[in-house]
Amino acid sequence: PPVRGLRASPRARSAMPSWVIDRYGRNDVLRFTRDMVFPTIHFPNEVIIKVHAASLNPIDLSMRSGYGATALNMKRDPLKLKSADTEFPLTLGRDVSGVVMECGLSVSYFKPGDEVWAAIPPWKQGTLSEFVVASGNEVSFKPKCLSHTEAASLPYVGLTAWSAVNQVGGLNKSNCSGKRVLILGASGGVGTFAVQLVKAWGAHVTAVCSHDASTLMKKLGADDVIDYKSGNLEEQLKTLPLFDFILDNVGGSTEKWALDLLKKWSGATYVTLVTPFLINMDKLGVADGMLQTGVTVGSKTVKHLFKGVHYRWAFFMPSGPSLDEIAELVDSGKIQPVIDQVFSFSEVPKAFLKLEGGHARGKTVIDVISKK
């Protein structure tokens, strides 16, 4: 039997197939290679996963173009021990569903052969590869009722929505029943998950999307569906009763009027996933960018607190325990994957172009082990 420890894979391989970028830019920077360095377990809590399926998220488009590089490089090398930026060749892709191949010495929760899913944080090498390394606390057992292709569509958007709704917004299965929830940008990956999550917890859900997504929203459980193209969205929403919680996947001008739709002095909360944190650091550098970000969120929080509502920012947070809870909801039938299109591993550039085109209804998934 192979010796398990702090070393390379039991196969003792040195290279693997992967889609990488060597510089930031448009879609032509994507490059297929069979010589990507095989992942190595560096810490005793890590596992190596054979990737069966991955999926794309808007953050992959942003990272391909260099968005957030300053903050991510700081996270990769916080003590600046390396003489130059060494993020390249960089593998994109955050979602993975696959099989554990090897475990570090302190991993007792998983063993080789286990079917798992995870969302790999953006400062680590991604999942558009044959294998990927992850911390054990980022990994969870895959829902039994889903195929790898279906499972790969959920971890990143699920954890992003979970962070916004539960960890930042404070909603859970015991306090959500009967609350009025508004989801702006409901037909994307995070939106389709959030609609199902708060509906599973008993909320009344109003989903904002374009008309062609209204059937999908109703299928996922939305009580009211508002077409943002059918007139002034702000005026349409003002005709409805006030909300207890708003999740904003859109940002921009919506922030100027959306908070007026909340019930005042009742603990009502607005959470946005569109924040200037990474772009501030790209533009201003690490220290000034963090300072500017702190000033912005602090001033907005205080301003809205005086108006009787809570203003919050939310971010994706990797979490195996949260994925455990999501897996329970999936296996009980309360959350289902929403997949727009599946591409083979050879079609990764085409999948990026599909995502770049926008207007997807659900996720763009990559079947990594397909032989096409």
Side-chain angles (χ1 to χ4, degrees), residues 269-285:
T269 304
Y270 165 93
V271 177
T272 179
L273 291 165
V274 184
T275 74
F277 176 66
L278 292 179
I279 203 165
N280 278 349
M281 292 180 74
D282 284 343
K283 281 183 176 178
L284 304 172

Side-chain angles (χ1 to χ4, degrees), residues 13 25 173 198 240 307 363:
R13 290 173 49 175
K173 60 186 176 184
V198 294
L240 302 175
K307 295 180 181 178
K363 292 295 296 294

Side-chain angles (χ1 to χ4, degrees), residues 340-355:
D340 188 74
Q341 193 170 347
V342 180
F343 292 85
S344 69
F345 194 45
S346 64
E347 298 175 314
V348 163
K350 197 186 295 186
F352 269 85
L353 290 176
K354 163 74 177 172
L355 184 64

Side-chain angles (χ1 to χ4, degrees), residues 297-349:
V297 70
S299 61
K300 287 185 177 183
T301 301
V302 170
K303 180 179 85 171
H304 292 297
L305 202 55
F306 280 118
K307 295 180 181 178
V309 296
H310 297 287
Y311 174 95
R312 298 284 187 270
W313 288 353
F315 305 90
F316 159 78
M317 287 188 267
S319 170
S322 295
L323 279 176
D324 290 344
E325 296 192 59
I326 291 169
E328 284 183 29
L329 289 166
V330 172
D331 277 330
S332 66
K334 292 178 179 175
I335 289 178
Q336 57 184 295
V338 181
I339 296 174
D340 188 74
Q341 193 170 347
V342 180
F343 292 85
S344 69
F345 194 45
S346 64
E347 298 175 314
V348 163

